[in-house]
Amino acid sequence: MHPILLKVGPIVIRYYGMMYVIAITLGFYLLLKEVRRKGLPLSTEDLFDLLLWTIPVAILGARIYYVAFQWSYYSHHLFDIVKVWEGGLAIHGGVIAGAIVVYIFSKVKKAAFWALTDALSPSLILGQAIGRIGNLMNGDAYGLPTNLPWGIHFPHDSPAGMAYPGLATHPSMIYEMVLNLLIFFYLWWIRKKEYHDGFSTAMYFILYSLARSLVSFTRADSLWLGPVRAAHVISAVLVIGFGGFIFWRRLYQRLTPESALPSRIDGPVDR
């Protein structure tokens, strides 16, 4: 395992970057299909605009979130803040930042916010699963030492190898990748069940939060809020919040295609 996929002279292609390219390409394709199926008033050019705004803002939010929790280190190594290729992107920060962009975008384009996030959710969780391959090759998002037969010995110069030299660690990134793929298949399966707008989004947050909480018990590089893992705190808030949202709005009830379509347009649309 090595973080660099290909190096030709000064040109370096890292697994991290390649996984982002694959995730964004597949995610955009699935998003385009879902937007068309749902009848959202968005053109292909609109979705490209959404992509161009959301991706960099989400990466920035993920990095800021991570750096904030590791400020004791980064306050003395300011230049390292920009080294995103070495890892250190917190998904919760990325989702929060990305959600703000999507909300603003939905208002500008007069598309229903929850219908749009439902269309985005399968792409998002699939992208997270693909991104874990980058973590594996980079040796970050690693687990605690283990004697289990599937424990991995990472290279000595990787984050996991430097933290636990000579020891096998839990392949936490693989655990999460598998769980994320299961969540993706579930979200892809329910997308045609015509639940109220927002149901798929809520289920994404609930299921991912539960998966992340479970995997975090094996993670060695968790971010902490005092004596508690930050992932457990955030996940608990999301599960309670979106669980309540489902029952408050009765999102579990299914709609007919005829009654679902009007909610997909947020006001008059000038095309």
Side-chain angles (χ1 to χ4, degrees), residues 60-74:
L60 180 63
R63 187 59 170 174
I64 290 174
Y65 185 99
Y66 181 85
V67 170
F69 278 95
Q70 300 286 356
W71 187 244
S72 59
Y73 169 82
Y74 287 105

Side-chain angles (χ1 to χ4, degrees), residues 68-118:
F69 278 95
Q70 300 286 356
W71 187 244
S72 59
Y73 169 82
Y74 287 105
S75 62
H76 300 289
H77 303 84
L78 294 178
F79 182 71
D80 287 354
I81 293 176
V82 301
K83 295 181 179 179
V84 294
W85 56 87
E86 293 183 354
L89 297 176
I91 184 61
H92 289 117
V95 171
I96 292 171
I100 293 172
V101 175
V102 173
Y103 179 78
I104 295 172
F105 177 87
S106 69
K107 293 303 179 183
V108 172
K109 297 297 182 179
K110 296 181 173 61
F113 172 70
W114 291 113
L116 179 55
T117 57
D118 282 352

Side-chain angles (χ1 to χ4, degrees), residues 251-271:
L251 302 183
Y252 51 84
Q253 295 180 344
R254 297 186 185 184
L255 298 172
T256 62
E258 292 77 14
S259 63
L261 183 57
S263 69
R264 304 279 161 75
I265 301 175
D266 188 9
V269 180
D270 182 8
R271 305 302 293 169

Side-chain angles (χ1 to χ4, degrees), residues 29-265:
Y29 172 73
L30 297 180
L31 173 62
L32 184 60
K33 286 176 63 68
E34 276 299 279
V35 165
R36 295 289 175 268
R37 187 186 66 81
K38 286 176 172 289
L40 287 164
L42 298 171
S43 66
T44 302
E45 291 73 19
D46 290 333
L47 296 179
F48 270 118
D49 288 341
L50 175 62
L51 186 74
L52 292 175
W53 280 103
T54 305
I55 297 300
V57 172
I59 292 175
L60 180 63
R63 187 59 170 174
I64 290 174
Y65 185 99
Y66 181 85
V67 170
F69 278 95
Q70 300 286 356
W71 187 244
S72 59
Y73 169 82
Y74 287 105
S75 62
H76 300 289
H77 303 84
L78 294 178
F79 182 71
D80 287 354
I81 293 176
V82 301
K83 295 181 179 179
V84 294
W85 56 87
E86 293 183 354
L89 297 176
I91 184 61
H92 289 117
V95 171
I96 292 171
I100 293 172
V101 175
V102 173
Y103 179 78
I104 295 172
F105 177 87
S106 69
K107 293 303 179 183
V108 172
K109 297 297 182 179
K110 296 181 173 61
F113 172 70
W114 291 113
L116 179 55
T117 57
D118 282 352
L120 276 165
S121 294
S123 295
L124 178 57
I125 195 66
L126 179 61
Q128 290 173 233
I130 295 171
R132 289 307 178 191
I133 299 175
N135 294 131
L136 175 65
M137 302 310 295
N138 208 48
D140 62 15
Y142 54 91
L144 294 164
T146 181
N147 293 320
L148 293 172
W150 55 81
I152 296 179
H153 287 85
F154 284 92
H156 66 88
D157 57 346
S158 67
M162 289 187 287
Y164 299 107
L167 297 177
T169 61
H170 278 285
S172 298
M173 69 291 289
I174 297 180
Y175 299 159
E176 186 165 329
M177 180 181 70
V178 172
L179 291 174
N180 286 348
L181 285 174
L182 292 175
I183 296 170
F184 165 74
F185 288 126
Y186 170 74
L187 294 178
W188 195 248
W189 175 66
I190 68 168
R191 76 191 193 285
K192 293 184 178 180
K193 302 299 182 181
E194 291 299 348
Y195 289 102
H196 278 280
D197 290 341
F199 182 76
S200 290
T201 303
M203 290 307 299
Y204 158 79
F205 278 107
I206 290 171
L207 293 175
Y208 176 69
S209 295
L210 293 174
R212 180 58 185 271
S213 292
L214 182 63
V215 173
S216 289
F217 284 113
T218 72
R219 285 278 294 266
D221 61 344
S222 296
L223 303 177
W224 293 82
L225 282 173
V228 183
R229 286 181 170 87
H232 288 161
V233 175
I234 300 299
S235 294
V237 171
L238 291 174
V239 169
I240 294 171
F242 279 98
F245 180 58
I246 287 176
F247 286 98
W248 172 51
R249 297 287 295 271
R250 297 183 179 179
L251 302 183
Y252 51 84
Q253 295 180 344
R254 297 186 185 184
L255 298 172
T256 62
E258 292 77 14
S259 63
L261 183 57
S263 69
R264 304 279 161 75
I265 301 175

